[in-house]
Amino acid sequence: MNNYVKIFDTTLRDGEQSPGATMTSAEKLDVARSLAAMGVDVIEAGFPAASPDDLEAVRQIAAEVGNPPDGSPEAKVPTVAGLARANKSDIDKAWEAVKGAKKPRIHTFLATSPIHMKHKLKMDPEEVIQRVSEMVAHAKSYCDDVEFSPEDAGRSEPEFLYVVLGEAIKSGATTLNIPDTVGYTTPDEYYALIKGIIDNTPGMHAGITISVHCHDDLGMATANTLAGIRAGARQAEVTMNGIGERAGNTSLEEVVMALKTRHPVFGLETGIETQQLSRVSKQVSSYTGIAVQPNKAIVGANAFAHEAGIHQDGMLKNQSTYEIMRPEDVGVNQTNLVLGKHSGRAALRNRLAAMGHALDDVELDKAFARFKDLADRKKTITDLDLEALVADEFYKPREVFQLDDLIVTCGTMDMPTATIRLRGPDGKIHAHAAIGSGPVDATYKAIRAIVKVPNHLMDFNIHAITAGIDALGEVTVRIQAAKAQTAMSAQSEREYPRIYSGNGADSDIIVASAKAYLNALNKLIVSQTEDTEKEKNNFGVMLG
Ligand code: KIV
Ligand code: ZN
């Protein structure tokens, strides 16, 4: 059996389905570029049948990221996959979306568990077998590379799975993905499931790749994925930061670093350049607005922090006392940047390039202006500060409303007041002043009075990016569109109003709060414009 595990990233499909993770097409394209640069083997770019926007986003990724830049070796280009339910219309749309890639893949799925077949599909097992056979063949008529997933395999009868998967092989599937859709199995059970499939599926041969796809409802997604790999799976379906439906999917960085750090145990390789993990994690977090918890394995802010005296003492004597991975292996550089306000553009460009941010001249001008501004207020600037600055400047949705100026007064007089100026979509400046229960409340009231999009603030979080009184503050908010704004989405796509996340970073935490709120509001406005387009085309569908 070969010792290479393909990394199939589904951040843009399963990940994007998590509440609040909605990304615009431009953001998805940017993430796909990063995933490709990091060495991901397969990018599941979306679910093209969901809407014309989704189809277009997958098409763009296939055309750009799925094709080798002139002269580069073809082997570096990722496969671009599109998801399709097992029906002709979905499969046709998936093919339409991925066919421009050098290596296209159609990924089709149908549920096989008794619960799903009875209550959701209302199909009996024979009908399911028949449908799988026909739809895999339909996908194969377009594309050599076809993946089939028996949804809810974790709760399916193994003997039934062998039959369904055998039919999928007969009809031309080359990858068989085994989803633990509801995160129900334990590592031992999942190992046995994968091993049983490899040993008992009729027609199984060396050209078939077995893939693992786990959800984290019981916190066992990574353990299950690794168990499946030990049993012989050679593709792992994962997302950056583990984002995904409910409790999320298996996180890419955990699987990749487990295989690397415990190489003697697994003896397996991936093609991931692990030094890029931290940057891509930050990018996905900024675009989705889903903050990474500080104690998150590999990419959390505290993943390499040592607080306890005994630990610090050990670290000073020898790093391996408390560190099983080197922070630089995942792209965390803890050295402070010794650039101050007298440093030049070239020094900044070099540092950003070393961190994986290749900025063009216009972008560098913007980053440099922000850097100078920060250097005036903060003595030492770390890579974490720079990451936040780049995220704040570049990873944001189209700025329908843009912060122009903000003045806030607050204190013990009980009348916190915010006066704000925003540049609107009409290019004009709109100003408003409001009193609130605190400075953030006053600021948000003033913003609401100008933007006039009914919404409900669900979450507000603030944290310091680095230690020290002069640290940058990062604010993350989640908002929900009020009913009137979501009539169309509720009918055609989701049963509940969508959640939009936003974040902002600044050394002034009220400015960071204003930016975060505007960031989320801009996403809401952009997405509602896209929804109106969908409504016109009567195209919205729900993932089955
Ligand atoms: O979790 C799941 O079952 C899925 C399939 C569509 C592959 O995401
Ligand atoms: Zn899934």
Side-chain angles (χ1 to χ4, degrees), residues 400-406 419-433 446-447 449-452 518:
V400 185
F401 285 92
Q402 210 178 341
L403 181 63
D404 187 58
D405 252 322
L406 172 65
T419 307
I420 199 159
R421 288 200 323 205
L422 302 181
R423 188 172 297 280
D426 51 5
K428 294 191 184 137
I429 293 289
H430 303 259
H432 197 88
I447 292 177
I450 298 174
V451 174
K452 293 192 180 74
L518 281 171

Side-chain angles (χ1 to χ4, degrees), residues 32 55 67 73 87 130 136 155 181 192 217 227 257 291 299 305 380 419-420 428-429 447 451 468 491 507:
L55 193 151
N67 278 286
N87 66 60
Q130 176 78 12
V136 170
R155 292 188 298 171
T181 304
D217 297 65
M257 287 314 289
V299 292
T380 49
T419 307
I420 199 159
K428 294 191 184 137
I429 293 289
I447 292 177
V451 174
Q491 274 167 24
S507 49

Side-chain angles (χ1 to χ4, degrees), residues 196-468:
I197 286 168
I198 292 172
D199 291 346
N200 298 306
T201 300
M204 183 66 70
H205 58 86
I208 301 288
T209 301
I210 298 296
S211 167
V212 284
H213 177 120
C214 300
H215 282 261
D216 206 29
D217 297 65
L218 292 171
M220 292 190 281
T222 298
N224 285 342
T225 295
L226 293 170
I229 290 172
R230 275 202 308 109
R234 287 296 175 265
Q235 174 176 286
E237 300 203 352
V238 288
T239 61
M240 274 317 295
N241 302 337
I243 62 168
E245 285 282 5
R246 305 178 310 279
N249 288 56
T250 307
S251 80
L252 180 150
E253 61 276 10
E254 290 175 16
V255 171
V256 167
M257 287 314 289
L259 293 178
K260 183 172 169 144
T261 309
R262 304 305 311 276
H263 192 269
V265 173
F266 294 100
L268 298 168
E269 319 291 335
T270 73
I272 299 296
E273 262 186 47
T274 60
Q275 295 80 357
Q276 300 200 32
L277 287 171
S278 176
R279 181 182 67 82
V280 182
S281 158
K282 183 76 192 162
Q283 183 186 41
V284 168
S285 163
S286 299
Y287 278 156
T288 57
I290 298 181
V292 174
Q293 76 199 53
N295 58 325
K296 167 82 180 64
I298 319 295
V299 292
N302 292 348
F304 295 95
H306 304 273
E307 191 73 21
I310 295 172
H311 289 208
Q312 289 182 349
D313 179 53
M315 285 292 291
L316 289 172
K317 289 176 176 146
N318 187 318
Q319 245 177 297
S320 63
T321 50
Y322 287 101
E323 242 167 38
I324 57 165
M325 299 164 268
R326 292 180 315 159
E328 49 274 31
D329 286 348
V330 303
V332 173
N333 188 333
Q334 285 165 324
T335 52
N336 281 343
L337 182 68
V338 237
L339 290 181
K341 58 180 172 182
H342 303 297
S343 307
R345 283 164 49 95
L348 181 67
R349 187 198 290 270
N350 288 347
R351 187 67 227 137
L352 288 173
M355 290 164 61
H357 297 290
L359 303 188
D360 63 28
D361 285 344
V362 178
E363 289 168 337
L364 186 66
D365 282 346
K366 286 188 187 164
F368 190 58
R370 291 289 303 267
F371 168 74
K372 282 283 183 191
D373 183 46
L374 186 61
D376 274 341
R377 293 188 256 171
K378 191 171 187 290
K379 275 209 179 100
T380 49
I381 296 177
T382 65
D383 285 0
L384 285 176
D385 291 317
L386 284 185
E387 284 291 4
L389 192 149
V390 166
D392 191 60
E393 190 60 41
F394 302 113
Y395 303 158
K396 55 188 173 192
R398 185 153 61 79
E399 288 192 287
V400 185
F401 285 92
Q402 210 178 341
L403 181 63
D404 187 58
D405 252 322
L406 172 65
I407 299 173
V408 177
T409 52
C410 61
T412 52
M413 274 181 61
D414 239 13
M415 288 209 356
T417 310
T419 307
I420 199 159
R421 288 200 323 205
L422 302 181
R423 188 172 297 280
D426 51 5
K428 294 191 184 137
I429 293 289
H430 303 259
H432 197 88
I435 296 173
S437 58
V440 175
D441 186 45
T443 305
Y444 282 20
K445 276 188 178 141
I447 292 177
R448 266 187 231 122
I450 298 174
V451 174
K452 293 192 180 74
V453 175
N455 68 91
H456 164 61
L457 181 66
M458 302 171 70
D459 268 335
F460 175 92
N461 278 299
I462 182 160
H463 78 274
I465 285 175
T466 51

Side-chain angles (χ1 to χ4, degrees), residues 13-14 107 109 149 151 177 179 181 213 215:
R13 199 278 299 168
D14 225 352
H107 175 194
F109 71 98
S149 292
E151 192 191 7
N177 178 48
T181 304
H213 177 120
H215 282 261

Side-chain angles (χ1 to χ4, degrees), residues 151-172:
E151 192 191 7
D152 203 17
R155 292 188 298 171
S156 301
E157 298 293 339
E159 286 68 25
F160 181 58
L161 278 178
Y162 307 152
V163 177
V164 173
L165 293 171
E167 285 304 313
I169 294 176
K170 251 199 251 165
S171 301

Side-chain angles (χ1 to χ4, degrees), residues 467-541:
I469 196 73
D470 57 357
L472 274 182
E474 189 173 49
V475 174
T476 306
V477 299
R478 285 170 14 115
I479 64 172
Q480 198 165 35
K483 276 265 164 1
Q485 255 56 49
T486 58
M488 184 266 156
S489 332
Q491 274 167 24
S492 63
E493 211 173 340
R494 290 162 202 262
E495 293 304 321
Y496 46 86
R498 281 204 209 163
I499 295 165
Y500 301 86
S501 320
N503 48 20
D506 201 278
S507 49
D508 181 319
I509 54 172
I510 308 299
V511 174
S513 307
K515 284 180 175 176
Y517 194 34
L518 281 171
N519 188 247
L521 283 169
N522 283 334
K523 277 191 186 173
L524 189 158
I525 296 166
V526 168
S527 138
Q528 278 169 2
T529 319
E530 288 176 353
D531 275 356
T532 312
E533 289 302 309
K534 281 180 208 171
E535 193 173 21
K536 274 193 212 141
N537 293 305
N538 193 19
F539 208 110
V541 288

